[in-house]
Amino acid sequence: MCYYFYPYVKQRGIYVQFREFVPLSTLTTMRLGGLARYVAEVSSRGDLQEAVAFARERRLPWFVMGGGSNVVALGDFEGLIILNRIKGFDLLKQDDASATYQLGAGEIWDLAVERLAREGLSGIEAMSGIPGYTGATPIQNVGAYGQEIADVLIELEVYDTETDRFVTLTAESCGFSYRNSIFKNPGTRRYIICSLTLQLSKMPPEPPFYPSLEQYFSDNAITVFTPQVVREAVIAIRAGKLPDSLEIASAGSFFKNPIVESSFAERLINQYPNAPHWKLSDNKTKLAAGWLIEAAGLRSYQAHGLQIYPKNALVVTNISAQSADDLVKFRTDIIRKIQDKFGITLEQEPEEI
């Protein structure tokens, strides 16, 4: 496959290269998909403006991507894929209790977590080991082991593609909820994230921790907690139940934990007393999608060249699938089987191109 480069230069002298007909399988960790009409890597705000202008002049849709670890490509994309590589790692202010950093959207997320945990700052250490780039974390309000990006996010700098301006959004305006934000809503996808401002604590993390972390600390007789200790525990836990995306094609957790009416959850729990569940506000209860999949007899289920990862029922791995149609069929199988057994419709977590 040949890549063609189209230099696009405006009077400001900013230069962006556009590759043509790029396999989406090379851009996503699931390693499936057709061709992207154009792909451009941007490393500055000016590059970003140029890329959007390129798409707009050709009346093409655009899609911003980081590392492709939480994205699945279904077919071709007749538009422009923008690879966000805008860097930045700046301490804005600090006091005895906290430190506020601004991170570029193009910073590798786990390297940022490692650096901040090493500095003794707490708030994102439980999100260690998550692949991808920093700019992707607000899109679905990334979270793990009891922490979410919404907990520490102060504001974002974004490029407003409707007004061609760079503006600041507060965390409150992002509409965060479980694995969701305004950045996932097609009706409000006017913003491209350039940087995040995070406020992290200088206080050491304190128990109680997420159950699996508590178990790890107990099993390993760990009683002194620092951000680095929590990070190392999370990495160890993840290594035992998540595939390395460099070795096994996967998009990470593929299904969201379903949120249902508490009355429905009570009936389910009466029937299955061991079903994990978490009561939320507004008479809602969150259930464990992984448990539902295993309880439906789908542990290690394999079909259409894909498989439920044996160590973690939330994860779908690509064993030999050759097309996005295979993924669609496999996803449909799982959703239908869970719906038939429990009356619950699972939702896919990764974004779709």
Side-chain angles (χ1 to χ4, degrees):
M1 176 63 66
C2 295
Y3 293 160
Y4 299 92
F5 294 87
Y6 292 84
Y8 182 73
V9 185
K10 293 188 76 173
Q11 292 182 353
R12 289 192 295 271
I14 299 169
Y15 180 83
V16 180
Q17 289 185 322
F18 295 84
R19 293 183 287 164
E20 188 176 19
F21 300 121
V22 178
L24 287 162
S25 60
T26 66
L27 302 178
T28 63
T29 57
M30 187 60 93
R31 302 175 201 164
L32 289 174
L35 298 176
R37 183 65 174 85
Y38 296 102
V39 173
E41 183 173 309
V42 301
S43 58
S44 70
R45 288 153 181 79
D47 286 353
L48 181 55
Q49 286 180 297
E50 300 299 340
V52 172
F54 178 92
R56 185 176 290 128
E57 288 173 6
R58 288 158 179 76
R59 300 190 178 187
L60 296 173
W62 47 263
F63 186 90
V64 179
M65 190 184 296
S69 58
N70 194 47
V71 175
V72 292
L74 303 181
D76 296 332
F77 182 67
E78 294 295 331
L80 171 65
I81 299 292
I82 300 173
L83 302 178
N84 191 338
R85 302 293 184 263
I86 299 174
K87 302 293 186 181
F89 208 113
D90 301 306
L91 175 62
L92 301 184
K93 63 180 180 179
Q94 63 177 323
D95 54 31
D96 292 340
S98 66
T100 301
Y101 276 82
Q102 185 179 65
L103 307 183
E107 295 288 340
I108 296 175
W109 172 249
D110 192 52
L111 294 182
V113 176
E114 178 186 32
R115 177 173 170 180
L116 293 167
R118 194 169 57 242
E119 294 179 9
L121 297 173
S122 179
I124 59 174
E125 66 276 7
M127 290 183 271
S128 292
I130 294 176
Y133 287 75
T134 296
T137 58
I139 294 175
Q140 65 159 9
N141 188 19
V142 164
Y145 300 100
Q147 293 180 345
E148 288 183 334
I149 196 66
D151 298 334
V152 296
L153 184 69
I154 303 300
E155 61 187 26
L156 306 93
E157 182 193 13
V158 300
Y159 174 48
D160 186 339
T161 60
E162 290 190 4
T163 64
D164 193 28
R165 296 177 60 192
F166 293 91
V167 299
T168 298
L169 299 180
T170 64
E172 291 76 14
S173 65
C174 294
F176 289 126
S177 58
Y178 175 65
R179 302 297 175 264
N180 201 12
S181 72
I182 62 170
F183 306 108
K184 288 190 73 172
N185 184 344
T188 55
R189 293 193 77 157
R190 58 190 284 183
Y191 303 114
I192 300 176
I193 298 169
C194 300
S195 69
L196 283 65
T197 299
L198 308 179
Q199 185 178 53
L200 304 173
S201 174
K202 291 185 176 180
M203 301 298 106
E206 297 181 351
F209 296 103
Y210 198 80
S212 54
L213 273 174
E214 290 274 13
Q215 187 64 51
Y216 181 89
F217 293 142
S218 176
D219 292 345
N220 291 275
I222 296 172
T223 57
V224 177
F225 308 108
T226 68
Q228 189 63 28
V229 166
V230 174
R231 170 176 166 77
E232 291 169 359
V234 167
I235 290 174
I237 294 169
R238 288 177 64 90
K241 67 176 188 176
L242 292 170
D244 184 339
S245 61
L246 296 178
E247 298 178 1
I248 300 175
S250 165
S253 295
F254 195 84
F255 294 105
K256 296 180 184 179
N257 288 326
I259 296 175
V260 300
E261 296 290 336
S262 293
S263 57
F264 180 93
E266 288 174 6
R267 293 193 296 272
L268 180 73
I269 295 161
N270 285 336
Q271 187 174 359
Y272 302 97
N274 294 328
H277 60 283
W278 300 267
K279 290 186 177 181
L280 307 176
S281 58
D282 301 327
N283 199 35
K284 301 288 186 180
T285 297
K286 182 166 66 175
L287 304 173
W291 182 91
L292 294 170
I293 291 169
E294 290 204 2
L298 298 173
R299 184 181 182 88
S300 302
Y301 176 76
Q302 187 170 342
H304 314 294
L306 295 112
Q307 183 183 26
I308 296 293
Y309 190 54
K311 296 181 181 180
N312 187 341
L314 277 182
V315 175
V316 173
T317 58
N318 178 5
I319 306 301
S320 60
Q322 298 298 311
S323 73
D325 287 342
D326 294 327
L327 177 60
V328 171
K329 292 174 184 176
F330 184 86
R331 177 185 65 188
T332 301
D333 286 351
I334 302 299
I335 292 174
R336 183 178 64 250
K337 290 175 186 294
I338 299 302
Q339 176 65 44
D340 290 346
K341 184 171 182 62
F342 299 108
I344 296 171
T345 302
L346 292 182
E347 295 182 11
Q348 175 179 305
E349 183 171 321
E351 287 197 89
E352 284 186 12
I353 301 177

